[in-house]
Amino acid sequence: MLATLKHKRVILAVSGGIAAYKSADLVRRLKDAGADVHVVMTAAAQQFITPLTMQALSGNPVHTELLDSAAEAGMGHIQLARWADLILVAPASADVLARLAQGIANDLLTTLWLATRAKRAVAPAMNQQMWAANVTQENLAKLAEQGVTIFTPAAGSQACGDVGMGRMPEAVDLAQRCADLFAVGTLTGKKVVITAGPTQEALDPVRYITNHSSGKMGFCLAEACVEAGASVTLISGPVHLPTPDRVQRIKVISAMDMLQASQQAVADGCDLFIATAAVADYRPATVAEQKIKKQGDNIVIELVKNPDIVATIAALPNKPFVLGFAAETERVEEYARGKLKNKNLDMIACNDVSRADIGFQSDDNAMTVFWQNGMAKLEKSPKTYIARQLVNLCAKQLQN
Ligand code: C5P
């Protein structure tokens, strides 16, 4: 179902940084995806994690020296450079990025990098100030120009105590992205429209009804669809998320706005409609023109039902393939299959919102997906990874 690394030969090159501990897990994940993995370590990397660990996990000897006669007798550095289908530097320190960008070849890692014809990728990880430094960004731009894939770091708290950009993405995510480098775009040429985030339903000029949706799932799906080759329109309620690269974003506030934007986007051409938005089921019957004043002890607000956006799109005569979402706390399959039918969806992805460790505000999710003749369970993992699996499922059904 996922893009795989079956029969692919990967050199995982580890440079010195605290994120090197994640590289041990990365070896396992690359192998799980089907890759044969050889690990190369710089001298600094060996201060953080031992070659023995990497050897045990990869099942192959670890390469540390450029000029080592024993290693050269086994698989010499030029042979190793030719062997690889992919060289991934993870973590890539600021120092290694600088050397790679300049074409300096003063150790095994940088020499392999120059000597290979394989795909090349880096997963930078460093202190947020070092990441933000102009010279680091210039080096990354140079590498991107040379066709190197940059796996951008995530934001968050850092080992040094700082908070900001510079954390290496999780191993499971990196392994999947490596596999994607070999995948042919499953949605090439397709148009995708995605709704995301909450809606805000105004009561008066200063108050509204909304919910806790972060929009993360929809934004991750937008990214995954772009990666799969689609052109993507993302219709989002108010969220605090940057617009993913190469995504056309339409900002909306209320359910009525979202419906109108969705209808317009679908009319402009749409093969796949994905409804992740947590649309408010009801809106105030009237929006007061002036701020509502404090009254007695009780106040009654009349609410009227909002239109069901996904059902409206799924009822169109030339409807696109429609993926809906459901948050359930019990009888997941029964309720999901009910919604699949009632809303005329092609596929529905359910998360169990009774679980505290996944869902609304979390970076992780776990889902069960249903379509007419099948189902799939997506185990707990980062939303980015879940998004790619969902996109692959949709692409498969679309092809059918
Ligand atoms: O009925 P329920 O709210 O559980 O359905 C959830 C699915 O329907 C989600 O895909 C959500 O984006 C979509 N939805 C919608 N418009 C609504 C309510 C839900 O598109 N008014």
Side-chain angles (χ1 to χ4, degrees):
M1 182 183 65
L2 283 172
T4 82
L5 287 167
K6 207 158 182 213
H7 306 309
K8 292 288 180 267
R9 297 157 160 184
V10 177
I11 292 178
L12 173 60
V14 186
S15 68
I18 184 60
Y21 81 92
K22 290 188 185 171
S23 302
D25 191 24
L26 183 52
V27 175
R28 283 189 40 228
R29 301 291 183 169
L30 291 167
K31 282 181 67 87
D32 286 350
D36 187 2
V37 182
H38 272 258
V39 176
V40 169
M41 300 178 81
T42 64
Q46 294 168 61
Q47 305 287 316
F48 290 91
I49 186 161
T50 71
L52 193 59
T53 304
M54 299 306 242
Q55 180 178 315
L57 290 169
S58 68
N60 283 318
V62 170
H63 310 263
T64 55
E65 304 296 333
L66 178 58
L67 302 170
D68 173 331
S69 49
E72 289 294 307
M75 194 186 301
H77 66 273
I78 295 296
Q79 219 179 337
L80 194 56
R82 286 190 188 137
W83 171 86
D85 295 307
L86 167 68
I87 300 185
L88 167 65
V89 186
S93 63
D95 167 65
V96 158
L97 290 176
R99 286 189 284 140
L100 296 180
Q102 299 304 322
I104 293 171
N106 59 354
D107 63 4
L108 179 60
L109 186 160
T110 48
T111 304
L112 285 173
W113 187 263
L114 267 191
T116 195
R117 265 179 297 198
K119 290 178 191 291
R120 298 180 300 176
V122 292
M126 64 196 71
N127 163 271
Q128 50 90 21
Q129 199 72 46
M130 293 170 79
W131 166 257
N134 285 343
V135 67
T136 303
Q137 293 303 317
E138 282 162 20
N139 288 333
L140 283 162
K142 251 183 219 147
L143 288 168
E145 264 169 38
Q146 294 162 22
V148 174
T149 302
I150 317 282
F151 296 131
T152 312
S157 58
Q158 303 199 303
C160 53
D162 279 8
V163 176
M165 289 281 282
R167 286 162 59 96
M168 190 164 95
E170 296 308 317
V172 61
D173 196 18
L174 278 179
Q176 180 57 42
R177 292 201 204 184
C178 287
D180 289 343
L181 294 177
F182 295 95
V184 194
T186 47
L187 290 178
T188 302
K190 302 283 184 212
K191 287 186 169 183
V192 180
V193 177
I194 303 175
T195 66
T199 63
Q200 279 180 3
E201 310 298 331
L203 276 161
D204 68 14
V206 294
R207 303 186 182 93
Y208 52 80
I209 299 172
T210 191
N211 59 62
H212 287 299
S213 168
S214 64
K216 279 179 194 155
M217 195 65 229
F219 278 60
C220 287
L221 276 159
E223 239 167 21
C225 287
V226 165
E227 275 173 20
S231 62
V232 179
T233 303
L234 176 62
I235 301 168
S236 173
V239 295
H240 302 283
L241 293 171
T243 307
D245 259 1
R246 293 168 287 164
V247 166
Q248 192 208 346
R249 176 165 172 191
I250 300 173
K251 294 185 181 179
V252 295
I253 306 284
S254 68
M256 296 305 274
D257 298 342
M258 188 175 271
L259 173 67
Q260 206 211 341
S262 300
Q263 286 171 317
Q264 184 60 55
V266 170
D268 291 344
C270 172
D271 301 288
L272 169 61
F273 184 82
I274 304 180
T276 65
V279 183
D281 290 324
Y282 294 91
R283 68 180 182 280
T286 53
V287 183
E289 266 179 38
Q290 306 300 331
K291 186 178 166 197
I292 299 169
K293 300 305 278 180
K294 236 179 270 152
Q295 300 162 24
D297 286 345
N298 298 311
I299 181 166
V300 176
I301 297 165
E302 191 191 348
L303 301 176
V304 293
K305 200 157 195 185
N306 267 326
D308 192 309
I309 298 169
V310 74
T312 308
I313 299 300
L316 291 171
N318 280 327
K319 78 175 198 45
F321 185 94
V322 179
L323 166 64
F325 282 73
E328 305 293 352
T329 53
E330 55 171 357
R331 292 153 72 186
V332 173
E333 174 149 13
E334 181 190 333
Y335 288 146
R337 289 215 176 270
K339 269 178 206 168
L340 191 70
K341 193 158 172 271
N342 297 338
K343 299 195 188 208
N344 197 30
L345 309 177
D346 296 289
M347 191 178 273
I348 189 157
C350 298
N351 44 357
D352 180 350
V353 282
S354 63
R355 280 176 66 169
D357 58 332
I358 54 170
F360 259 18
Q361 291 287 339
S362 161
D363 287 331
D364 284 343
N365 216 341
M367 303 206 124
T368 316
V369 188
F370 302 94
W371 57 98
Q372 204 186 349
N373 305 314
M375 65 166 288
K377 260 195 175 325
L378 311 181
E379 300 302 336
K380 181 185 166 186
S381 40
K383 283 181 176 169
T384 45
Y385 183 66
I386 294 273
R388 289 196 193 99
Q389 295 180 79
L390 278 172
V391 166
N392 283 334
L393 281 174
C394 287
K396 226 180 193 171
Q397 296 296 314
L398 259 173
Q399 280 156 15
N400 290 343

